[in-house]
Amino acid sequence: MQIKSVKLYENGFLTEPLLMGGEDGEDHFDASVRYRSSLQNFLIDTGSEVILVDTGMPRETPDVVPDEKTKVYLGTRIRDYVSALADLGYRPEQITKILVTHKHADHTGELRSFPNARIYIGPEDANALKLEGKNIVRVGYKDGPYYNFKAHEKISDGVYFIKARGHTNGNSIVIVEDGGLFYMMHGDVTYSDEALYANKLSIIYEDKAAARDTLNQVRTFVSEHPTVYCSTHTPLGYENLEAKRVVNLNEPPKSIPPVVITAKQTTGKYVCPVCGYCYDPEKGDSDHGIAPGTPFEELPEDWTCPRCRQPKSNFNKA
């Protein structure tokens, strides 16, 4: 069994209110405090098949230009997903299964690049994305509890798909058992390991009570089993994997400040930090009465992301 990180973005940042303000409120945290961010997904090579956990951002998504108001910045793009996969020595036709932790675009952006793979996804998120076809598996978590988690489905020997609602209504976790360790690829249960150790929810969820229940289950699991916590939005995700570093909730990782961001020229487009939707002023938003040619700054203050309903204030410049 081999587990590898598919590295896509680097040198980003997350602000403390976004990372930890889901229950106490953003105003209880310091917006000037930033944590390192990145974007990577994961690959499981069992020896007999190659399984992906999520498929990154759509390749056409424009780069974000961060400023003092930016709450989450993935960083600069390293490679598009298929190219990053090729760097690891794999071709799209080798992929047998894709396990989707949740519906957001930075986790599903290149599902289209693997037409022969079976795609496993929580039914609520599959419905939200309107996924159809013989290769779409709406997971029923038919195999019952997995340790302290309430429901799961076995995907392959040593690979388990865990029901973990909250961040989205169809959210799931992937756990791989290998060499006496449990590798947890959790999507966005937390956006960074610091929140896991601090026991804080991010501000991004569809069901707060379910998100809290999931985080409680995760913390119980990692306290009882030697777990390598493989996060999507922090370099700690691949650093933990490469070092086989096990979670110890009594010893939080030392936070490393993010790199200084160099300003770039903006395009007039704006990107949703949650689902990746790009508002293009040349196109407007005809479904919500926004005419082509409308600058983002002139959108109504109550305008929200057409995909995930994030407020206008959360969008990032592109």
Side-chain angles (χ1 to χ4, degrees):
M1 184 91 71
Q2 295 184 70
I3 304 171
K4 302 180 181 182
S5 54
V6 186
K7 298 177 182 178
L8 305 167
Y9 287 74
E10 63 183 359
N11 297 329
F13 64 81
L14 296 154
T15 58
E16 190 175 70
L18 177 136
L19 192 67
M20 301 190 185
E23 292 173 306
D24 300 322
E26 292 183 72
D27 56 349
H28 282 75
F29 298 91
D30 188 345
S32 69
V33 175
R34 293 178 172 183
Y35 299 88
R36 291 187 299 160
S37 183
S38 58
L39 176 63
Q40 60 277 334
N41 296 149
F42 298 94
L43 175 149
I44 306 162
D45 188 336
T46 70
S48 59
E49 59 180 338
V50 182
I51 302 171
L52 302 181
V53 181
D54 296 335
T55 62
M57 192 72 82
R59 58 182 173 269
E60 67 273 13
T61 301
D63 291 340
V64 165
V65 180
D67 59 23
E68 68 282 355
K69 296 181 180 180
T70 302
K71 296 181 180 180
V72 53
Y73 172 53
L74 295 180
T76 55
R77 189 189 299 264
I78 304 170
R79 300 282 268 164
D80 66 86
Y81 191 91
V82 174
S83 297
L85 201 62
D87 291 343
L88 296 176
Y90 296 93
R91 303 182 306 277
E93 57 269 25
Q94 291 178 268
I95 307 307
T96 54
K97 297 172 182 172
I98 301 173
L99 312 182
V100 178
T101 61
H102 63 285
K103 64 188 177 183
H104 293 153
D106 51 341
H107 298 259
T108 60
E110 288 300 325
L111 289 177
R112 60 193 175 183
S113 294
F114 305 94
N116 299 324
R118 289 175 63 81
I119 297 171
Y120 293 74
I121 183 172
E124 298 89 348
D125 282 7
N127 294 341
L129 293 175
K130 299 180 180 179
L131 295 178
E132 300 295 342
K134 294 181 179 179
N135 66 322
I136 305 300
V137 180
R138 285 169 164 78
V139 177
Y141 311 98
K142 59 182 174 53
D143 295 323
Y146 176 85
Y147 295 96
N148 64 289
F149 290 103
K150 298 172 184 176
H152 87 288
E153 189 161 318
K154 182 178 179 180
I155 301 299
S156 183
D157 287 343
V159 182
Y160 305 92
F161 199 70
I162 316 295
K163 188 174 184 178
R165 293 184 63 249
H167 180 64
T168 67
N169 290 325
N171 204 78
S172 303
I173 290 170
V174 177
I175 295 180
V176 178
E177 298 180 13
D178 185 54
L181 297 177
F182 296 81
Y183 295 84
M184 180 182 288
M185 287 147 268
H186 60 83
D188 299 344
V189 170
T190 62
Y191 273 83
S192 191
D193 294 25
E194 288 89 349
L196 170 72
Y197 284 81
N199 195 18
K200 299 295 185 182
L201 292 179
S202 81
I203 65 171
I204 301 170
Y205 47 71
E206 291 186 340
D207 185 327
K208 182 164 68 173
R212 166 44 61 190
D213 184 50
T214 289
L215 183 55
N216 289 344
Q217 290 179 69
V218 167
R219 284 174 53 85
T220 297
F221 185 89
V222 302
S223 69
E224 296 176 348
H225 305 86
T227 304
V228 179
Y229 197 64
C230 298
S231 298
T232 298
H233 289 293
T234 170
L236 286 165
Y238 60 78
E239 292 169 1
N240 291 342
L241 176 61
E242 291 165 3
K244 296 186 178 180
R245 185 182 298 123
V246 170
V247 172
N248 181 345
L249 292 178
N250 296 317
E251 296 183 7
K254 182 179 180 180
S255 292
I256 300 171
V259 299
V260 176
I261 308 302
T262 303
K264 303 176 184 177
Q265 185 174 357
T266 60
T267 63
K269 299 177 183 179
Y270 280 73
V271 177
C272 175
V274 174
C275 74
Y277 170 81
C278 178
Y279 177 79
D280 185 343
E282 292 187 2
K283 298 178 180 179
D285 177 13
S286 59
D287 290 343
H288 298 90
I290 306 300
T294 303
F296 183 84
E297 293 77 8
E298 295 181 12
L299 293 175
E301 290 307 310
D302 61 354
W303 181 88
T304 59
C305 176
R307 286 185 187 162
C308 72
R309 317 313 300 174
Q310 285 296 303
K312 175 185 173 182
S313 59
N314 280 358
F315 271 63
N316 295 323
K317 295 177 182 178

